Amino acid sequence: MPKPAKGARLGGSAAHEKLLLANLAKSLFEHGKITTTEAKARRVRPIAERFITKAKKGDIHNRRLVLQSITDKSVVHTLFTEIAPRYENRPGGYTRITKIGNRRGDNAPMAVIELVEALTVAQAATGEAEAATKRAVKEDALKKDASDETVEDAKPVEDAKPAEAADESKDA
């Protein structure tokens, strides 16, 4: 755990701040995303990323270092067996903070901190993920347009068929 900041702290004492940040990191690993104040989200981000980096190494020493802060063994097991392998090829940036506005009661600025989807370095560098998303959106739009056109085209064709059938019967 990092040394607690001098001056104003998130809770009361330095020990309380240390435990608060460890519990926020535990909740983040347990649920995948949490809603908290912006200040707490900014403070927990480097701690959570450091824990993920230790979990990527995967040895017993790093597991014990993480267990010093996060005392729930099931969460640490999840971190080492499920979360860390997702970021195996990612050099950093495992979390994302999104501001969501102010809290109703005390007008505190709120944010969501979440674990990002794991992309390989090659995918991120080539923009493959963005391209895949754009392709999916474009395909959905084309399918929607195609279904709209077939419905519009189908009506006049159906109306034309009886008229053609009537013309053929007169010719015969």
Side-chain angles (χ1 to χ4, degrees), residues 56-110:
K56 281 172 54 177
K57 293 176 185 172
D59 58 348
I60 190 70
H61 173 68
N62 284 302
R63 184 179 289 262
R64 287 178 178 162
L65 288 175
V66 172
L67 276 167
Q68 287 177 353
S69 297
I70 300 176
T71 56
D72 190 350
K73 289 183 180 180
S74 64
V75 174
V76 173
H77 178 75
T78 303
L79 173 64
F80 275 74
T81 59
E82 296 173 15
I83 296 172
R86 289 195 320 212
Y87 302 111
E88 184 179 354
N89 296 324
R90 191 179 181 105
Y94 313 116
T95 58
R96 174 187 304 126
I97 297 176
T98 308
K99 296 179 182 180
I100 58 171
N102 294 342
R103 187 163 47 199
R104 242 181 124 191
D106 60 356
N107 208 31
M110 299 296 286

Side-chain angles (χ1 to χ4, degrees), residues 16-89:
H16 182 262
E17 180 181 342
K18 182 179 173 182
L19 292 171
L20 180 100
L21 293 174
N23 283 330
L24 283 171
K26 176 186 139 218
S27 296
L28 177 63
F29 298 139
E30 194 172 3
H31 302 291
K33 71 177 183 177
I34 54 173
T35 302
T36 185
T37 62
E38 285 181 27
K40 289 177 186 174
R42 283 195 304 263
R43 294 292 298 277
V44 78
R45 175 186 232 166
I47 295 166
E49 295 203 2
R50 201 168 301 126
F51 287 156
I52 293 173
T53 302
K54 289 179 188 299
K56 281 172 54 177
K57 293 176 185 172
D59 58 348
I60 190 70
H61 173 68
N62 284 302
R63 184 179 289 262
R64 287 178 178 162
L65 288 175
V66 172
L67 276 167
Q68 287 177 353
S69 297
I70 300 176
T71 56
D72 190 350
K73 289 183 180 180
S74 64
V75 174
V76 173
H77 178 75
T78 303
L79 173 64
F80 275 74
T81 59
E82 296 173 15
I83 296 172
R86 289 195 320 212
Y87 302 111
E88 184 179 354
N89 296 324

Side-chain angles (χ1 to χ4, degrees), residues 98-163:
T98 308
K99 296 179 182 180
I100 58 171
N102 294 342
R103 187 163 47 199
R104 242 181 124 191
D106 60 356
N107 208 31
M110 299 296 286
V112 172
I113 182 167
E114 60 188 337
L115 298 173
V116 297
E117 295 299 320
L119 295 175
T120 63
V121 177
Q123 288 175 329
T126 60
E128 186 176 317
E130 294 174 18
T133 305
K134 288 179 183 177
R135 268 195 310 270
V137 169
K138 192 180 286 187
E139 288 173 1
D140 290 342
L142 289 175
K143 287 178 184 176
K144 186 176 180 183
D145 290 342
S147 65
D148 291 344
E149 288 175 7
T150 55
V151 171
E152 291 172 4
D153 293 342
K155 259 188 175 176
V157 170
E158 291 176 43
D159 293 340
K161 285 182 183 177

